[in-house]
Structures are given as structure tokens and as C-alpha cells.
Amino acid sequence: MESLIVSIYVFTLAVFIGFELITKVPPLLHTPLMSGSNAISGITVVGALLAANADNWGLSSILGIFAIAFAMINVIGGFMVTDRMLSMFKKDKKAEKGA
Amino acid sequence: MIYLEQFSYLLASVLFIIALKMLGSAKTARKGMQYAMFAMALAIVITLIISGIVGPIQIIIGMVVGGLIGGVVAKRIEMTSMPQMVALFNGFGGIASTLVAYSEYLRYSGAETMDVRVTVILSLFIGTVTLTGSLIAYAKLQGVMPGRPIVLPLHQLLNLLLVVGVVIFGIMNVMEPSVQMWAILIIATAAIFGITFVIPIGGADMPVVIALLNSYSGLAASATGFVLSNNVLIIAGALVGASGLILTQLMCDAMNRSLFNVLFGAVGTDDSTGDAGTGGGEQKTVTRYTAEDVAMIMDTVQSVIIVPGYGLAVAQAQHVLHEMGELLTAKGIDVKYAIHPVAGRMPGHMNVLLAEANVPYDVLYEMDDINDDFQNTDVALIIGANDVVNPSARTKKDSPLYGMPILNVDYARTVMFVKRSMGAGFAGEANPLFFDDKTMMVFGDAKAVITGLVKALKEE
């Protein structure tokens, strides 16, 4: 029970930090925010790694392997596409010269 | 060793928070995401090392296969297709959580505490709903299935029954963890609920839905963290959950709709579009102009605000629009872009599409920052947008748009619409501004019209 309480504490405080931070993200960056969120929610890969390793190749760890693959799609895909997008945001001066 | 593990997770959590803080400005955003990447790498590597699981080749294969798929998608995806990609990735986050929770369930020894049993059920439920709901959202956005709302008979009752079903199967699962059927029934019921939850939501409301599912994918990760008592999962998931929820709220505000209305209102049926379209005063005439006419006017003006809508992206006209903007700027005209929060198919979508076309971000203005400028502006040039500039939203009480915040284009001295047809927007509400004396309508494909405009501007 104690660990559940700690988890609820951590979760609640993190939600509040999230609210504080995200309200300051300008609409300009909302799409990168969402794809970046995809990447960050890929943190499930940590749980997947633990699950995959837990027994001697029964169904349980096979499910873990699939979880690893799905979570890694989010991690790599999410971060790469976010970086690709953010690299396109340029300030005025440079863009003028390029045109 | 446990300290090394826990402190690494703590460091990763802090870095995720800093990364989101740095997303507060376009200048620092990219660097911030690099911190997040480092945090993710740290969490993964430390998990591999501490648990001594560098060995099994299957784990490496799982990582490489997933990473490769993600990498290819990220490289190839068109910016216009970002909503579909985010929808799909939300779903992947969901299924990963479901799989981890089920894997945990299969390892029950009988000594689990009540907490673990309950959080496993929660994780199975949220993960699966996120998965199937996201797949439906993806199918609607990709055009694999029709975007219009699909409402089954007694739809809300069905949803209610499904939720009650999950609760009952959940209780059974807690009481008899050894009976696998209960866990499978939870997943199956959640899967159906995810589908029935999203199918009644119309295509135009998809920005809200993907933001909401983005939130769920975060909550799914958090739920997995609860199952494993792993704080970095809980924190990262909670951050994403909060983010998705805020975006959901912002999108609802921008449409002046409640989340309840978006989720259960089934707005956007074919019927309502037809009705409102004919009721909008088709008898009146509009004045048609050509790109050349517009170019001539542009010679006499000092300020232009461009209002891009999704029609612009559909016509792939962003690049030629940027060229036009440059030409106008070269003539000494003050050019700005006004971006409505729901321009595009997901939050912030239009900004990305314009950034891709090299439009510098400091000429992109949010609605609240630019709305007072229209009255001092010579030309409002609206390309492929309609509902977000419809003045009926201010005045016409029975309009589905009533109360929605709009861009005040009607305050500009001249209003120009580049549009494919007279057709109403998603809301099915005719735009009285089309018939205004100061309005110039240029009909045609956005790309063709603007290309013509660029040509005419160059000839002068």
C-alpha cells in the first residue's frame, strides 16, 4: 500500500508541473509538443525491458519484446520527427537571404 | 546499485521537465528536445545495465526493429500527415502499456497485493482504449474510413454498458486472478469501448481527439509506472497526460465547444451540413475576381495579413505562398500571417506547414496577438479558410459557429478570399462576408491562384 501512496504523490505533483510548463508552450510549437510527447510516452520501453527479461522466454517475455518494439517506434520516431520539425522553424533574417 | 538506478531515473525525470520548459520558446525548443533524448537514452541504458539484461538477443532485436520502423516513419512522413502519425504513435504507446501490464499479470505468483492487481487492470484498460481509439482516429484522418460521425443505435447506453463491463470484469479479475478469461475480457471490452468512443466524433473534431488520446497515451505510461512502482514512468507519463489535456482544452476553447459536446455531440453529420448550406442566402451575388485583379490591388496597399487555412495545405500551396509573401515584402508591403488555433488538422499544424515552406516564425501571429491589427490593415487575404473568419460567429445566435473566437478579417479595408467554391466550411454555416462590398472572391485551387498572383506580381 505504501508504494501506491508514493506513486500517487509522484503522479499528482508531476501533473501539476506538467500543467505549469505546458501552458507556457506557445501555439507555434504545439505540433512538436505533441510529437515530442509521443516520444516521451515511449518511456514505457523501460517497463517493457523489465517485462521482457522477467522469465525464461515464456509468453510473458514475448509480450515484453513486442512492447519494446512498439515503445521504441515512439521513442525513435517521435524524437526524430520532432527534431525535423523544430529544425524548420527559422527566424526572419536567415530565411530572407535564402530566398 | 539500486541508488545508481534510482538516481539515473531521477535525473531523467528532471531532464524531461527541463525539456518541456525549453519548449516554451522556439529558440530553445530544439536543444530542449535533445535533453529529452538524452534522458530517454539514460533511462534505457541504465535499465539494461542494472537489470543485467544486455544479453538476450531478442531484446536487442525488439529495440532495433522498433527503432528502425520509427526512424523510417519520421524521415518519410509528410508534414501534412503529422496528425495521422501522432494518432498512430498514441496508439503504439497504448499497446506498449497493455502488453507490459499483461506480461506482469502473467507473472502473478498469487502473492500480489491489491494495489498491483488494480493498477494492472487500470493499465490494461487505458492502454487498450488508447490503442483502438487511436487506430480509429488514424483511419478517419487517413481517409481509410469516412470522417463523418458514425452513431450506433443506443450509442451512449452501449458505452455505459462497456464501462460497467470493464468494472465487473475488473472486480472478477481482482478476486480470481488465476482465471485468465477475466483479464482477456477486460482487454476485449476496452478495445470495443475505444472504438465506440471515437467513431461518433466527426473529422473536423479530430484535433481534439488526437490531443485527448495523446493525453491517454501518457496516462497509459503512468499506469504502467504504477504497476512497476517506477517513478520515471509515472513522471514522464503524467507530463504527457497533462500536456494532452491542456491541448484538448485549448482546442475546445478555440471552437467554443465543451469537451462533452465534442465527444458526445456527433457534430458534423451530412444532414446538418446540407440544411445550413441552403439556409445561408444563396440568392445574393458575389463579385468574382482573378489573380491579376488581386495583383493590381496589391500595388496600392501597404499592409497585408494572410490567413491560411487547411485548404492551403490540401492544395500544397505553402511554398508558392511564401514566394508571394517575399514578393510583397520586396515591394515594401508589411506582410503578416494570422494563425487561428484550429487552422490545420492538429494543434499548431499550420505553423509547421508554413515553417516547412521557409516562412520565418516571427511573422506568424496567434489570433489574440493580431486580431486588433486587422482594422489598420489594407488587405486580409484568406486562403482556404472559412469557418475561422466567419463573422456569423459573433452575431448569429442560431449558428453552429456562434461564440467561436474568429479572426477579425472583416475589419480590414479589403477582404480577399481564395477559395475553391462557394461551399460552406465544416460547420456548414454560410459566410455573409462573401457578399460584402469590400470582399473580392477569387475562385480556384489555392496553388493555381497564388501561382498566377506571383506571376502577375513579377510582371509588373
Side-chain angles (χ1 to χ4, degrees):
Chain A
M1 202 60 181
E2 200 175 314
S3 79
L4 179 67
I5 295 295
V6 172
S7 296
I8 292 173
Y9 258 90
V10 171
F11 175 78
T12 309
L13 294 177
V15 167
F16 274 92
I17 293 176
F19 274 129
E20 282 302 311
L21 293 176
I22 308 296
T23 43
K24 296 198 178 76
V25 176
L28 177 74
L29 297 177
H30 278 170
T31 298
L33 169 64
M34 287 182 79
S35 61
S37 295
N38 278 153
I40 293 176
S41 67
I43 190 70
T44 311
V45 72
V46 167
L49 286 169
L50 298 171
N53 196 47
D55 67 358
N56 299 321
W57 305 114
L59 179 59
S60 176
S61 54
I62 292 169
L63 294 179
I65 301 287
F66 276 98
I68 290 174
F70 279 114
M72 281 306 282
I73 295 179
N74 270 13
V75 170
I76 302 291
F79 278 129
M80 277 179 63
V81 86
T82 307
D83 190 64
R84 196 179 131 200
M85 252 188 278
L86 290 173
S87 72
M88 296 188 305
F89 283 93
K90 292 184 202 82
K91 277 213 106 160
D92 208 352
K93 292 293 168 276
K94 251 197 251 162
E96 299 281 278
K97 288 213 181 80
Chain B
M1 280 307 249
I2 184 90
Y3 287 109
L4 179 60
E5 183 185 15
Q6 289 306 319
F7 275 110
S8 302
Y9 287 156
L10 177 62
L11 178 60
S13 305
V14 170
L15 286 172
F16 283 136
I17 290 169
I18 293 174
L20 286 180
K21 188 170 167 56
M22 291 174 81
L23 259 182
S25 151
K27 281 193 218 85
T28 52
R30 204 170 174 200
K31 182 119 201 152
M33 287 318 290
Q34 285 160 3
Y35 287 174
M37 287 178 217
F38 177 76
M40 186 66 71
L42 176 69
I44 292 172
V45 169
I46 215 72
T47 310
L48 284 171
I49 294 174
I50 295 294
S51 329
I53 48 179
V54 188
I57 190 75
Q58 291 90 329
I59 285 177
I60 306 299
I61 292 174
M63 292 186 72
V64 170
V65 168
L68 277 178
I69 296 173
V72 170
V73 171
K75 276 250 185 270
R76 295 245 176 105
I77 192 86
E78 298 279 342
M79 285 300 135
T80 40
S81 305
M82 277 309 295
Q84 291 93 305
M85 197 206 79
V86 168
L88 205 54
F89 279 20
N90 286 340
F92 291 162
I95 192 177
S97 297
T98 301
L99 290 170
V100 173
Y102 203 82
S103 164
E104 188 71 15
Y105 165 73
L106 287 175
R107 287 197 307 275
Y108 275 6
S109 59
E112 290 70 33
T113 56
M114 187 67 98
D115 317 350
V116 173
R117 290 180 195 178
V118 173
T119 51
V120 161
I121 291 165
L122 205 64
S123 196
L124 289 175
F125 175 68
I126 303 176
T128 310
V129 169
T130 311
L131 170 68
T132 56
S134 297
L135 289 178
I136 297 292
Y138 169 81
K140 286 198 175 206
L141 287 162
Q142 185 72 26
V144 180
M145 65 182 284
R148 70 186 155 75
I150 300 168
V151 184
L152 305 172
L154 300 175
H155 202 109
Q156 296 320 333
L157 184 66
L158 175 65
N159 279 349
L160 188 68
L161 285 176
L162 288 169
V163 173
V164 170
V166 168
V167 173
I168 293 171
F169 300 142
I171 293 170
M172 295 311 292
N173 177 274
V174 169
M175 296 198 313
E176 303 177 58
S178 55
V179 184
Q180 238 190 85
M181 181 182 72
W182 301 124
I184 290 169
L185 278 172
I186 291 170
I187 294 175
T189 318
I192 299 170
F193 179 68
I195 296 169
T196 58
F197 183 66
V198 178
I199 52 169
I201 303 172
D205 288 339
M206 278 303 130
V208 180
V209 178
I210 38 177
L212 190 64
L213 289 166
N214 202 229
S215 176
Y216 288 1
S217 75
L219 295 180
S222 257
T224 312
F226 274 85
V227 171
L228 304 170
S229 292
N230 186 314
N231 286 333
V232 70
L233 263 75
I234 295 176
I235 293 171
L239 294 173
V240 173
S243 159
L245 215 55
I246 288 178
L247 293 176
T248 306
Q249 191 55 51
L250 285 176
M251 286 295 106
C252 286
D253 290 348
M255 298 193 298
N256 190 39
R257 305 254 308 277
S258 66
L259 183 57
F260 185 85
N261 178 267
V262 170
L263 296 182
F264 304 112
V267 172
T269 49
D270 294 340
D271 300 338
S272 75
T273 313
D275 285 350
T278 48
E282 303 299 274
Q283 267 44 301
K284 292 182 216 156
T285 53
V286 298
T287 333
R288 290 164 179 267
Y289 289 86
T290 64
E292 286 73 26
D293 300 328
V294 171
M296 269 170 65
I297 303 257
M298 288 299 185
D299 262 350
T300 63
V301 303
Q302 271 144 23
S303 50
V304 174
I305 296 180
I306 300 170
V307 180
Y310 195 65
L312 176 87
V314 172
Q316 288 292 320
Q318 306 95 295
H319 288 86
V320 63
L321 177 68
H322 175 233
E323 195 183 348
M324 188 202 75
E326 300 272 278
L327 281 171
L328 294 178
T329 312
K331 284 175 182 289
I333 299 171
D334 178 30
V335 179
K336 290 175 186 161
Y337 293 79
I339 314 289
H340 192 276
V342 294
R345 283 288 171 277
M346 69 185 287
H349 196 196
M350 188 53 66
N351 298 293
V352 172
L353 295 174
L354 291 173
E356 190 190 20
N358 288 322
V359 178
Y361 65 79
D362 38 4
V363 297
L364 306 178
Y365 289 83
E366 296 163 31
M367 179 166 63
D368 293 339
D369 294 336
I370 203 164
N371 249 348
D372 293 335
D373 290 359
F374 279 104
Q375 52 193 344
N376 301 317
T377 298
D378 293 323
V379 173
L381 176 61
I382 299 128
I383 303 160
N386 188 1
D387 288 343
V388 298
V389 296
N390 191 336
S392 297
R394 269 190 234 121
T395 51
K396 202 173 155 212
K397 286 215 167 58
D398 58 344
S399 161
L401 291 175
Y402 184 71
M404 172 172 145
I406 57 162
L407 289 160
N408 298 329
V409 294
D410 51 331
Y411 295 167
R413 286 179 202 106
T414 305
V415 181
M416 296 175 180
F417 277 94
V418 176
K419 236 180 148 299
R420 286 236 298 271
S421 68
M422 280 298 288
F426 272 111
E429 179 70 32
N431 193 335
L433 200 53
F434 292 171
F435 311 102
D436 199 289
D437 284 343
K438 67 177 176 186
T439 300
M440 298 171 68
M441 302 294 293
V442 184
F443 292 108
D445 172 74
K447 191 171 185 176
V449 171
I450 300 169
T451 308
L453 187 54
V454 165
K455 206 164 142 243
L457 284 169
K458 277 182 178 163
E459 278 168 7
E460 281 159 17

